[in-house]
Amino acid sequence: MAKNLKQIIENICARYQNDRTRMMDIVRAVQEQFGGVSPEAIDLIAQSTDAHRVEVESVVSFYAFLSQKPKGKVIIRLCNDVVDQMKGVQAVARAFSEELGIGFGETTPDSWYTLEWAPCIGMCDQAPAALINDVMVTNLTTDKAKEIVRALKLNPNPPILSTRYGLGDGNNANALVQSMVQNNVKKTGEVLLCDVPADAGLRKAIQKTPEEVIAEVEASKLRGRGGAGFPTGLKWKFTRGSKGPEKFILCNADEGEPGTFKDRVLLTERAHLVFEGMTIGGYAIGATTGILYLRGEYAYLRPFLEDILQKRRAANLLGNNILGKDGFHFDIRIQMGAGAYICGEETSLISSCEGLRGDPKNRPPFPPQQGYLRKPTSVNNVETFAAVARILDKGAAWFAAIGSGKSTGTKLLSISGDCKNPGVYEYPFGVQVRTLLQDVGAENTQALLIGGPSGQFIGAESFDKTICYDDLATGGAIVIFNKDRNMIKIAQEYMEFFVEESCGYCTPCRVGNVLIDKCLQKILAGQGEPSDIEYLQNLGNTVKKGSRCGLGQTSPNPALTTIKNFRAVYDAVLKPAQDGMQPTFDLKAAVSDAEALAGRHSVIH
Amino acid sequence: MSETITFTIDGVEVKGKAGQTIMQAADGAGIYIPRLCYLEGCEPFASCRVCTVIVNGRPQAACTQPIAPGIVVENNTPEVTQIRKDIIEMMFVEGNHFCPVCDKSGNCELQAIAYRLGILVPKFPYLFPVRELDASHPYIFIDQNRCILCGRCVQASRDIDGKHVFDFVGRGPEKKIRVNAAARLADTDLDITDKACDVCPVGAILKKGVGYAVPIGQRLYDKQPIGSDIEANANK
């Protein structure tokens, strides 16, 4: 057996040329084969890749989908996102638990099943949802959960579930996807979710010089669609201008912001367009390699995407002298993630592609100067690449005429929560909140979360505002909460998410988020004091200003923006203590141990 | 000769050389910017964030941010000091720091910065984590209760000693220092002469057999506040 382990791991490492920068692929393959990356496996991987064992352990311990302890052959990861909670996931959780006879975080004694919680898996529009190995199961009910377990016990092969419940629409039914996921495209637009001619943008791009392509993108005023909103043309200009013979195009398909799922739909229905945009990017900055970093949760799309890449190679849309353009060589590989929200941060994504923990990097240098393998790199969002392909086809002027002011083009919004029609909506920038509430069938709305928990909660006084970079900026995640929801509870659940997903590198984010979460829990337990408001505001300020990357610089927002916009909810539960004592201090409980030891009771007035 | 760059820290004009960080230029000018993870001779790690300054209105780590002509740096202002105090307090509540029984007391940079910033007791609740202690090595022990995850030992072992005795495992609040062995420090190639044994700013990595060689009260920061050596540069 031990000899067998050695042989298999050596083979896996050899498949990746014993290259430690491919550590993610290596440890993922070992995890898949053995259900875990054991200490012995870590030693063997270290030997084969000429790494120190602690370096391998460091990577394995970072990602949620990797573990040293072996997990079951079938891993059920139930999504515990806020939206899933609103849709009754706790009852579904009990059903799974009862049917399997284990609690969360446990594996059945026969080593077959592991039950776990997972943060947002990109299915808020069909919640509650779970990931069973690589298979998505959606719209869960207690009955469905029990039925799933029974079906798996008869045939422990998760793909059987997809056909059992009916395949989804569009390419979800493709032979290489075979998923019950629904696209839920509720509003099409004129840029992305419309009929797009195949590779028209790429054909026009290679008629231009790379500089002209960049000028076209700049003229369109396209800004990054992942949330930060950096001008795409400018990023490409910097990357092209950086010295170095080798450059890289990275596509950020690690959408992990709770409430977002629009890239899932783009990758399912517009994958060609995304790869076309990446190829145009490669041409523009002078890169020969592109990497699509796909979040581990979307592994079900991988065979489909690999097949499209193959087809593009066969059609000379990738490879050497693309479309007959002399000297234009470019190819794309897919890098799988392994369950880490932080890897959506562009420098963390680069770390992960390099086979490291998903820790962000210090800036400067910025990726266009020194990114992947310390070479000039442009990291752009899935939707950004898709938009680029359209801009090169239809022209910058066409694109710039859509939208409002400085926010050109359309934006895909992933809308979920308390509404009748959750799904993906393509709106021109400048759409009013009021309009989209109407379109999604939201009633009795108390709050909207714009841009996911790293964005902001807004209330009725902001419903006249518009979605654009200068008003309500967003990467696309919008969650709606009706008047029955407890905004403090919602904020606390999102803080719990950030605690879980902080990489832990810097102090303010690693510790500060825990402290904010604790304070909100205290308030929810009825022990809040009026001074907690100032405490949270000061603490939030320190976390935002002291943190090293975008995660910590925005993570206090659930607490801070609910305090700002839903102050009355806090004021209603924060009461000064009648007796002048700290409400968190329970004198009776504090002396109980001593009372027991002394065998006497204190007299407490 | 490299180009001279002029900028201000708290309104005081400072001259530095092109390519320097704000921290390096401030050190040269005798202005102390508190820091914990920074380790001379290694790339700035920028994990502790104690050196946070505000540059033209934006918070930045002084150890990584390059100087530029005319930048306005806020260092010793109420807002910046509050951020630093909060970060130091976070370190105290995150671990188990019992100064009176710690051999590093008086030589501890965390304790010294807390004194310098005027911290008496943290306003945050203690988290009381359960942490490991590894005394397997004949000359060195690691008490993770006192670890602030600064990364100095990781860097020193890797970049100065040319080994890789330490690294981080886990993430978020579960993140911790781990040794390059299946279990114990004794099974690594750590030597007492390694730089990694000398760089811990707190009492997490300590040498055995030398405890209390210098009495409390006569130690480095008992005599002068941390940063005094840097401030002495001001008159040069």
Side-chain angles (χ1 to χ4, degrees), chain B:
Chain B
M1 283 299 285
S2 55
E3 183 198 344
T4 301
I5 288 177
T6 308
F7 65 103
T8 64
I9 298 178
D10 295 333
V12 177
E13 196 176 280
V14 175
K15 289 187 194 309
K17 296 189 192 76
Q20 278 188 319
T21 62
I22 292 172
M23 184 184 282
Q24 287 168 333
D27 283 0
I31 296 171
Y32 173 62
I33 300 175
R35 80 281 314 253
L36 273 169
C37 67
Y38 181 76
L39 179 60
E40 195 125 19
C42 292
E43 266 187 52
F45 202 62
S47 66
C48 75
R49 314 308 287 179
V50 175
C51 73
T52 297
V53 288
I54 292 179
V55 183
N56 293 347
R58 286 179 61 120
Q60 303 282 4
C63 67
T64 53
Q65 189 63 21
I67 56 172
I71 53 170
V72 176
V73 178
E74 296 168 50
N75 174 43
N76 200 3
T77 64
E79 189 189 7
V80 173
T81 302
Q82 191 55 53
I83 291 171
R84 290 177 185 160
K85 281 170 111 166
D86 283 357
I87 293 172
I88 294 292
E89 290 183 20
M90 286 178 190
M91 290 176 178
F92 274 104
V93 302
E94 184 193 22
N96 299 308
H97 298 271
F98 302 108
C99 298
V101 297
C102 178
D103 185 37
K104 199 63 178 257
S105 194
N107 291 323
C108 172
E109 294 176 42
L110 176 67
Q111 183 192 45
I113 292 177
Y115 277 134
R116 180 159 175 149
L117 295 178
I119 295 170
L120 296 174
V121 66
K123 62 186 154 301
F124 304 131
Y126 286 99
L127 301 177
F128 298 120
V130 176
R131 300 244 187 109
E132 293 157 19
L133 190 145
D134 181 345
S136 63
H137 194 279
Y139 307 116
I140 301 290
F141 75 90
I142 308 177
D143 187 347
Q144 304 244 14
N145 287 293
R146 304 164 183 171
C147 179
I148 56 169
L149 300 164
C150 68
R152 278 193 196 173
C153 58
V154 177
Q155 281 197 298
S157 182
R158 185 186 61 205
D159 302 336
I160 299 173
D161 301 330
K163 300 178 181 179
H164 203 119
V165 174
F166 304 102
D167 211 330
F168 292 109
V169 293
R171 75 176 187 209
E174 306 301 321
K175 186 179 180 174
K176 62 178 180 180
I177 286 285
R178 190 86 169 84
V179 300
N180 186 36
R184 306 180 314 156
L185 185 62
D187 302 325
T188 67
D189 55 354
L190 182 74
D191 287 321
I192 190 158
T193 51
D194 284 358
K195 182 76 177 169
C197 305
D198 290 322
V199 294
C200 185
V202 292
I205 298 179
L206 286 176
K207 291 178 180 171
K208 293 180 176 178
V210 293
Y212 298 96
V214 178
I216 284 175
Q218 297 173 27
R219 297 178 176 188
L220 185 59
Y221 305 121
D222 293 333
K223 294 174 183 162
Q224 54 175 12
I226 191 166
S228 302
D229 50 339
I230 289 166
E231 285 167 327
N233 289 338
N235 306 319
K236 281 182 188 164

Side-chain angles (χ1 to χ4, degrees), chain A residues 407-473:
Chain A
S407 306
T408 58
T410 60
K411 184 79 195 81
L412 294 188
L413 301 178
S414 320
I415 309 182
S416 65
D418 291 317
C419 62
K420 286 198 191 79
N421 306 304
V424 173
Y425 292 72
E426 181 175 2
Y427 283 107
F429 272 109
V431 62
Q432 231 179 11
V433 171
R434 201 172 293 286
T435 309
L436 63 90
L437 281 175
Q438 216 159 36
D439 291 355
V440 302
E443 284 165 9
N444 210 18
T445 303
Q446 177 183 198
L448 275 92
L449 178 59
I450 307 277
S454 68
Q456 54 178 325
F457 284 95
I458 60 163
E461 68 286 353
S462 302
F463 288 178
D464 290 331
K465 289 192 170 190
T466 58
I467 303 289
C468 65
Y469 291 102
D470 304 313
D471 197 359
L472 296 172

Side-chain angles (χ1 to χ4, degrees), chain A residues 52-55 57-58 61-62 339 357 362 499-508 510 535 542 545-546 548, chain B residues 43-49 59 79 86 90-91 94 124-125 149 164 168-173 175 178 180-181:
Chain A
H52 296 275
R53 86 175 305 284
V54 74
E55 290 177 277
E57 189 180 351
S58 185
S61 64
F62 188 87
R357 297 162 60 81
N362 287 330
V499 168
E500 180 89 3
E501 295 300 328
S502 163
C503 80
Y505 191 104
C506 74
T507 319
R510 184 182 67 239
Y535 171 89
T542 293
K545 294 197 170 143
R548 185 163 161 267
Chain B
E43 266 187 52
F45 202 62
S47 66
C48 75
R49 314 308 287 179
E79 189 189 7
D86 283 357
M90 286 178 190
M91 290 176 178
E94 184 193 22
F124 304 131
L149 300 164
H164 203 119
F168 292 109
V169 293
R171 75 176 187 209
K175 186 179 180 174
R178 190 86 169 84
N180 186 36

